[in-house]
Structure formats: C-alpha cells, structure tokens
Amino acid sequence: MMQILGARIRHTVPTYDQALLWVTLLLLGIGLVMVYSSSIALAEADRATGHQSTYYLVRQAIYIFISLTAAAIAFQIPTQTWQKMAPYLFLLGMVSLILVLIPGIGHEVNGSRRWISLFVVTVQPSEFMKLFAAIYVADYTLRKAAVMDSFTKGFVPMLAVMFVVGSLLLLEPDFGAFAVIATITISILWLGGINGRIFAGMLVMLVVGFVLLIWSSPYRLQRIIGFMDPWADPFGKGYQLSHALIAFGRGEWFGVGLGASVEKLLYLPEAHTDFLLAVIAEELGFVGVATVVGLFVWLVIRAFAIGKEAISNERYFSALLAQGIGVWLGVQSIINMGVNMGILPTKGLTLPLLSFGGSGILANCIALAVLLRIDYENRRIQKGLPV
C-alpha cells in the first residue's frame, strides 16, 4: 500500500520547476508592458517607425514569441549534449564577434559596431556569447579539474582564450558585455575549485585591467566623470543619469501611474532599453522597482539551488552551468539597476528579460530553458528515471 501511495505521490510531483517558468513569464510580461509605455513617444516621433505608437510593442511581442519557441526547443536538448557542443558553440561565438567588426557585415549604431545585419533583423553576438562562455567555461573546468591548481596548465589557457574574446568585444566596443563575461568566467572557475591564490590574482588583474581600460579611453573616462557628479554638467556628461534620477525621484512610493511618465517623453535617452528601470520607477514607484528586484533575486537564488541539487546528483557540469547562468543574470541585472540608480557609471547593458531587444531576450530565454532542463533532469534522477 505504501509503495502504491509513494508511486502516486511521485507521479503527481511536477516534472519541471513551475515557479521558475512563471517568474520568467512574469518578467517578460512586465517588460512587454513597460517597453510599450516607455516607447510610445519615441515611436510617434521617429519617421523610421512610421509614427506608429505600437512599433516597439509589436516587435517586442514578436521577439518574445520567437524566444519562447526557441526556449521550448532548447529545453528538449539534454545537458550532456550542451556539454558536447561547448567548444563548437564557443567557436561560433568567436567567429560571430569577428564578423561584427567586418565593414559591410557588422552594423554600426551610435559609434558601436555590435550587430550583424540579417536584412529583416539585426543580431547582437555578444548576447549569445554570454551563454556560450558559461557553457564553455563549465566544460573547461571539468576537463581541467585535475590541473586546476596549476597556473600554467589550468589558468593560462583560459586566460588566453578570454583575452581574445575581451579584445574582440573592446574593439566593438562593448565594455559591458566584456565585464559580464569576465565575471561569469571567474565565478565558474571559482565554483569549480580553482586555486585560491590564482583566484585572488585573477581579481587583482581584473580590477587593474578595468582601471587601465577606463583611464586609456576618453569616452569611458568622461562617463566616470559624469557619474561622479551628474549635476555638474546636466546637459552634457551627466544628462542620462540626471534624468534617470529625476524619474526615480518623481516615482516616490507608488509612482505617477502606468503611462504617466514625463521622462519618457524624449527627455530620458534609451528609455525602452538601458534605462527602462527608471521609467518603471517613475510610473510604478518604489513598489514596482522592489517587485522587479525581488523577482531577479528569486531567479538567481533558484539558479544556485538547482546547481546545488545537481551537485548532490553528481552532475557537475549541470551544476556549474546553472550557477553560471545565475551569475550572468544576477550581475547584468545589478549593473543595469546600479546604472539607473546612479550607483554605477553609465554602461550600455540592458535589463535581462525586460528591456527591448531581440538578441537579449532570445539569449535570456534559451539560458533559462537550459536551467529548466537541468532542474528537469534533477527531478528525473531523484525519481530513478533516465534523463
């Protein structure tokens, strides 16, 4: 009798993480609404959009539909297959970063060459490189587990590979993507058991490298100066940040109401992409921002919990990949939120799952589908079923 009851209980347990799926859909839904709200004035003022107020709404809805379809396909792929494809995916990402820099193939916007034009749409390879890097570094860490204490055998090969990736990203330039990928790499290596002294050395090198990159680049240095005191030059270096802070100030506790933002009326640049959180703050207030932050915190915690379950099942690649995805979403969210709130210097990073953009939404949804697959396999193993 107890065996029958146990079998029925196991049968009724969901085979996937329903809460993770719903949180993802909720973030996508919030993003869709806020992208529409923040882009109406821009769409109506831009001739390229045909002055249609729903221009960005329709495109974001299409991006979400395509991304969810791709995510459903990605969920069907076992994590073992992702591991086998790791070097090929990473190579594909490297080639795409090179193609971006070739005139006629790479598409330039606002002085940055980050997109590849496919006639109908443009693709941003750096968004997919974040996922490819997480997959590759997780696989590398396992393959090199026996020599992870060695500086020359364990660390130098990865340093060389990431130096090439970083160089390609900085040529675009895309400092934000480089920072996220570097953080993903270091985090997975640390979680995979790299030597503590090597890890400390990596952190020092990373900090020194970032300082040198900022100091050697006039436009990055100007961003830092504008960040330190945006009100010193509110119509120049501090323009974006000063208007983002005005949006936060206007929102107070409950916001001015959905659709009632003033800053989105062509005052705040990139309101539907990099500074979407500022519009959320103005229209939905502290409550709206806290809700978004809470959803991301839950998402990151859940990613690490899934990784921990994979470790208990002795599936170490799955564990490192799940935690790498958690680091990616967490770090990029923190950077975007920090920029919007004036805690960090202005950087061209979108808010995952919310900001307008097809490549970002697609890469995020595929990553979360992989995370769902890891959890799905964890549950099947716990039931004694094949994965």
Side-chain angles (χ1 to χ4, degrees):
M1 180 66 180
M2 292 301 294
Q3 291 179 345
I4 295 174
L5 181 60
R8 287 180 178 176
I9 292 173
R10 285 196 299 272
H11 181 71
T12 57
V13 174
T15 57
Y16 64 94
D17 192 332
Q18 294 183 350
L20 178 58
L21 176 61
W22 282 110
V23 167
T24 301
L25 293 176
L26 180 58
L27 284 169
L28 288 171
I30 293 172
L32 182 64
V33 172
M34 295 312 303
V35 162
Y36 179 45
S37 177
S38 62
S39 65
I40 294 175
L42 177 63
E44 291 180 342
D46 192 351
R47 287 185 179 181
T49 66
H51 303 293
Q52 297 176 0
S53 62
T54 58
Y55 179 86
Y56 293 101
L57 170 67
V58 171
R59 275 152 184 76
Q60 185 76 343
I62 293 172
Y63 294 153
I64 291 174
F65 174 77
I66 293 173
S67 299
L68 290 176
T69 302
I73 296 171
F75 178 77
Q76 307 302 320
I77 303 174
T79 53
Q80 187 177 9
T81 303
W82 286 109
Q83 185 174 5
K84 291 178 180 177
M85 294 192 301
Y88 306 107
L89 290 173
F90 193 77
L91 182 60
L92 174 63
M94 294 269 283
V95 171
S96 65
L97 291 179
I98 294 172
L99 290 175
V100 163
L101 302 174
I102 300 175
I105 298 177
H107 182 61
E108 186 174 335
V109 178
N110 295 330
S112 296
R113 192 179 293 273
R114 303 178 185 176
W115 297 266
I116 296 176
S117 178
L118 299 178
F119 302 105
V120 180
V121 295
T122 55
V123 177
Q124 188 173 356
S126 59
E127 290 293 343
F128 299 100
M129 195 62 193
K130 296 167 188 174
L131 175 60
F132 297 161
I135 295 171
Y136 178 76
V137 179
D139 176 59
Y140 175 89
T141 304
L142 286 183
R143 286 190 286 108
K144 298 285 187 176
V147 294
M148 287 304 286
D149 284 337
S150 170
F151 178 79
T152 55
K153 295 180 180 179
F155 174 63
V156 171
M158 178 56 66
L159 177 64
V161 169
M162 286 303 159
F163 177 80
V164 175
V165 172
S167 299
L168 292 172
L169 288 169
L170 292 175
L171 286 172
E172 296 184 4
D174 195 345
F175 185 76
F178 171 59
V180 173
I181 290 174
T183 305
I184 293 170
T185 301
I186 291 176
S187 300
I188 293 178
L189 289 174
W190 168 251
L191 293 166
I194 196 171
N195 183 283
R197 288 174 296 178
I198 297 176
F199 179 73
M202 278 195 303
L203 291 181
V204 173
M205 288 173 57
L206 192 64
V207 172
V208 172
F210 281 167
V211 171
L212 290 176
L213 285 170
I214 292 170
W215 190 260
S216 63
S217 176
Y219 89 91
R220 292 192 190 107
L221 191 58
Q222 290 301 314
R223 283 187 172 185
I224 296 295
I225 294 172
F227 159 72
M228 297 300 291
D229 186 8
W231 306 109
D233 188 11
F235 298 104
K237 294 185 291 290
Y239 184 80
Q240 283 182 306
L241 180 53
S242 61
H243 279 277
L245 294 176
I246 290 171
F248 271 85
R250 292 192 75 242
E252 298 187 352
W253 284 98
F254 300 102
V256 297
L258 185 62
S261 167
V262 171
E263 285 299 320
K264 70 182 182 184
L265 302 178
L266 306 183
Y267 293 106
L268 178 62
E270 308 299 335
H272 61 309
T273 54
D274 299 354
F275 284 90
L276 184 67
L277 188 70
V279 179
I280 294 175
E282 186 178 3
E283 296 191 348
L284 304 181
F286 173 82
V287 173
V289 173
T291 299
V292 171
V293 172
L295 289 171
F296 275 109
V297 168
W298 186 92
L299 206 59
V300 173
I301 292 174
R302 186 64 191 127
F304 274 82
I306 290 172
K308 185 177 180 181
E309 291 167 6
I311 292 174
S312 66
N313 294 328
E314 299 183 353
R315 298 176 64 83
Y316 300 111
F317 170 77
S318 297
L320 290 173
L321 180 54
Q323 292 167 345
I325 291 171
V327 169
W328 165 19
L329 296 176
V331 168
Q332 185 164 332
S333 300
I334 289 171
I335 293 175
N336 178 274
M337 293 173 183
V339 167
N340 275 255
M341 297 177 187
I343 301 171
L344 295 172
T346 302
K347 192 76 232 73
L349 277 177
T350 57
L351 189 58
L353 298 171
L354 276 80
S355 294
F356 176 80
S359 297
I361 295 291
L362 180 57
N364 296 156
C365 286
I366 291 175
L368 287 166
V370 173
L371 187 62
L372 271 171
R373 176 72 195 195
I374 294 170
D375 175 74
Y376 168 79
E377 292 180 358
N378 285 341
R379 293 171 187 246
R380 288 187 67 84
I381 289 172
Q382 290 167 3
K383 293 179 183 181
L385 299 172
V387 296

